[in-house]
Amino acid sequence: MTGETRQNNIFTPVRTKFIISSVSHFVTHKKKFREMSTSYKTLGKKPRPSDCPPFTLKEVKASIPSHCFERSTFKSSCYLLVNLSAMLILCNISCYIDHPMLPKLVSSLLWPVYWITQGCVCTGLWVLAHECGHYAFSESKVVCDAVGLVLHTALLVPYHSWRLSHAKHHRSTNDMDHDEVFVPNTKAELNERKVEPLSVLSTIVSLIKTLLLGWPGYLSLHVSGRKYHTHTDHFNPKSPLFTEKDYFDIILSDIALFIWIGFLVYLGYVQGFLWLVKVYVIPYLIVNFWLVLITDLQHTDAAVPHYRGKHRSWIKGALCTIDRDYGLLNHIFHHIGDTHIAHHLFSHMPHYHAVEATNHIKNFLGKYYYKDETPIFKAIWQNERFCRYVDNVGEVLWFKHD
């Protein structure tokens, strides 16, 4: 045996051990990285139960006082009157913001106060219109549809079109294949679009785009909705969102919007388009901001799963919603954010009973009730940064990030 051969034989076991150790370290590191990319682990959250709950919807309903399900046209109308009065008072005040007697600095400070306040008040009107879409405003469907059509049209929403797609969302909440809104991207979809991991700057840009343009994008392009693999919107009666029997309702919603937009153009022509932007358009954008933020936070959280196939059931989907605290805005927004689980379980329940019902529901549901205490703006940042995609395959899916 030559010296060179002897030397190779001596070091071969050492080299082999080194290679095995390196491969083992790489596999372990890759596994840990893959586990850390699961968003609830990164954020230190406990994942929500994904098993079948040991109770029925009927049993949940029995835990709530029966009066919580009573709908009062009078009571709902009182809330509407208060909301409309606040909106009209703010509109009237806005007429004096640019008064010559006021210093320009004061006027420039008062406009943002008006925009934010009016945006919040009109978000409350949006919620009442949403209640009409669920027929929770009144026992009368005619009253609900009439009020809902007027309110939603004034906020540039096609009432019946949204009502119909929203009902489908309630039937298929957190179903990857059938839900109509906030359907997560899969990793393959992000790769196909060559979406890079978000930096701090790109996260900010993405949030601004989502919060200001997300709602018009959803109505006109079905952004974040179910993948129909064809153009889908809320204005075409032949959109895959709708059936033939919905045709008249979609056309009615479109006509109402056309009339309202014509009226807005007329107001802009008479009063000036800058006036229209300051009094109507900017508060409208703030309504869109709150609408997207609230609904995103109701349905997106690192601790909440999505489902495919047999693992998904209606009640599991309804329990995948999230309650959050908006402080004073809970009252202005008619508790749409802090009682959303109750709303998904019983969408016909009016908002003025939802807080009481939620107190009973969370006692009954136990670990199946979820309220996230993360501050609102921190939560929306975490959602955008860490709830990036789910796996391409599987029946119980959790948000992941790169």
Side-chain angles (χ1 to χ4, degrees):
M1 182 181 292
T2 66
E4 184 180 352
T5 303
R6 193 182 306 114
Q7 188 178 31
N8 286 339
N9 285 340
I10 290 172
F11 285 99
T12 296
V14 177
R15 289 174 178 173
T16 302
K17 185 177 179 180
F18 174 77
I19 292 170
I20 292 172
S21 175
S22 298
V23 170
S24 176
H25 177 75
F26 174 77
V27 171
T28 302
H29 178 75
K30 187 175 181 181
K31 183 179 179 182
K32 286 182 178 179
F33 178 80
R34 187 164 56 244
E35 289 176 347
M36 283 303 293
S37 71
T38 304
S39 301
Y40 68 77
K41 293 181 180 179
T42 302
L43 295 174
K45 292 190 170 188
K46 182 179 179 181
R48 306 300 305 143
S50 58
D51 58 321
C52 291
F55 47 77
T56 64
L57 183 65
K58 184 177 181 181
E59 290 171 331
V60 180
K61 187 174 182 179
S63 72
I64 304 169
S66 59
H67 70 263
C68 289
F69 299 95
E70 295 174 1
R71 295 166 286 177
S72 167
T73 305
F74 175 75
K75 195 166 187 177
S76 296
S77 299
C78 288
Y79 279 97
L80 175 59
L81 182 62
V82 169
N83 239 146
L84 287 173
S85 298
M87 183 267 291
L88 291 172
I89 288 169
L90 287 169
C91 279
N92 188 56
I93 290 173
S94 73
C95 296
Y96 299 94
I97 293 178
D98 284 329
H99 195 281
M101 296 294 291
L102 280 178
K104 287 187 177 181
L105 177 61
V106 174
S107 297
S108 62
L109 293 174
L110 287 176
W111 275 117
V113 173
Y114 165 76
W115 294 332
I116 294 169
T117 308
Q118 187 71 292
C120 290
V121 169
C122 289
T123 302
L125 284 172
W126 205 107
V127 174
L128 293 179
H130 159 266
E131 199 145 286
C132 291
H134 283 290
Y135 298 120
F137 186 89
S138 169
E139 295 282 352
S140 168
K141 285 190 175 183
V142 173
V143 170
C144 288
D145 282 341
V147 174
L149 181 65
V150 171
L151 293 181
H152 260 166
T153 300
L155 295 168
L156 297 180
V157 180
Y159 168 71
H160 287 293
S161 311
W162 167 85
R163 174 181 64 80
L164 292 163
S165 71
H166 191 65
K168 293 173 74 174
H169 156 65
H170 270 256
R171 289 195 293 270
S172 304
T173 309
N174 279 43
D175 185 329
M176 284 292 295
D177 299 318
H178 299 100
D179 200 353
E180 295 295 347
V181 68
F182 292 112
V183 179
N185 288 300
T186 63
K187 181 61 173 174
E189 287 169 338
L190 289 189
N191 289 340
E192 184 181 345
R193 301 203 307 266
K194 299 180 179 179
V195 176
E196 298 292 332
L198 291 179
S199 64
V200 172
L201 179 60
S202 59
T203 302
I204 293 171
V205 172
S206 180
L207 268 176
I208 292 172
K209 182 176 70 174
T210 298
L211 294 174
L212 290 182
L213 302 177
W215 177 239
Y218 176 68
L219 291 178
S220 58
L221 299 170
H222 207 50
V223 172
S224 88
R226 177 180 173 183
K227 279 74 173 177
Y228 285 100
H229 305 293
T230 186
H231 177 77
T232 306
D233 63 57
H234 284 72
F235 306 101
N236 183 356
K238 294 187 178 180
S239 170
L241 286 169
F242 313 119
T243 62
E244 287 185 11
K245 67 182 179 61
D246 302 324
Y247 190 90
F248 173 77
D249 285 338
I250 310 307
I251 294 297
L252 177 62
S253 299
D254 290 346
I255 291 172
L257 273 180
F258 183 79
I259 293 171
W260 176 247
I261 291 171
F263 177 68
L264 289 176
V265 171
Y266 172 75
L267 276 181
Y269 177 76
V270 172
Q271 299 287 343
F273 286 99
L274 180 59
W275 172 89
L276 183 67
V277 168
K278 291 195 290 186
V279 173
Y280 178 87
V281 174
I282 295 178
Y284 162 76
L285 292 175
I286 291 175
V287 171
N288 290 350
F289 163 87
W290 280 117
L291 175 62
V292 174
L293 183 142
I294 291 168
T295 52
D296 183 286
L297 292 178
Q298 287 168 342
H299 297 287
T300 307
D301 190 275
V304 172
H306 283 74
Y307 299 100
R308 283 197 189 98
K310 64 181 181 180
H311 277 275
R312 196 262 173 195
S313 66
W314 183 89
I315 195 165
K316 285 171 73 174
L319 293 174
C320 279
T321 52
I322 305 130
D323 284 355
R324 300 182 190 269
D325 186 9
Y326 291 79
L328 176 64
L329 292 175
N330 286 331
H331 303 282
I332 296 173
F333 296 161
H334 303 299
H335 295 284
I336 194 64
D338 60 324
T339 64
H340 202 65
I341 294 175
H343 170 67
H344 260 263
L345 289 169
F346 308 104
S347 60
H348 285 74
M349 179 188 294
H351 72 273
Y352 41 81
H353 293 315
V355 173
E356 180 182 357
T358 293
N359 291 331
H360 291 278
I361 284 172
K362 64 183 177 183
N363 290 332
F364 181 86
L365 295 181
K367 69 176 184 178
Y368 292 91
Y369 173 81
Y370 184 40
K371 182 175 183 178
D372 183 51
E373 300 291 351
T374 307
I376 295 303
F377 292 105
K378 181 180 179 180
I380 195 68
W381 174 267
Q382 289 180 344
N383 282 359
E384 191 71 21
R385 182 70 183 83
F386 296 105
C387 298
R388 297 290 293 149
Y389 60 86
V390 296
D391 286 333
N392 303 325
V393 296
E395 294 190 324
V396 181
L397 305 168
W398 302 94
F399 277 112
K400 293 188 174 184
H401 66 95
D402 293 322

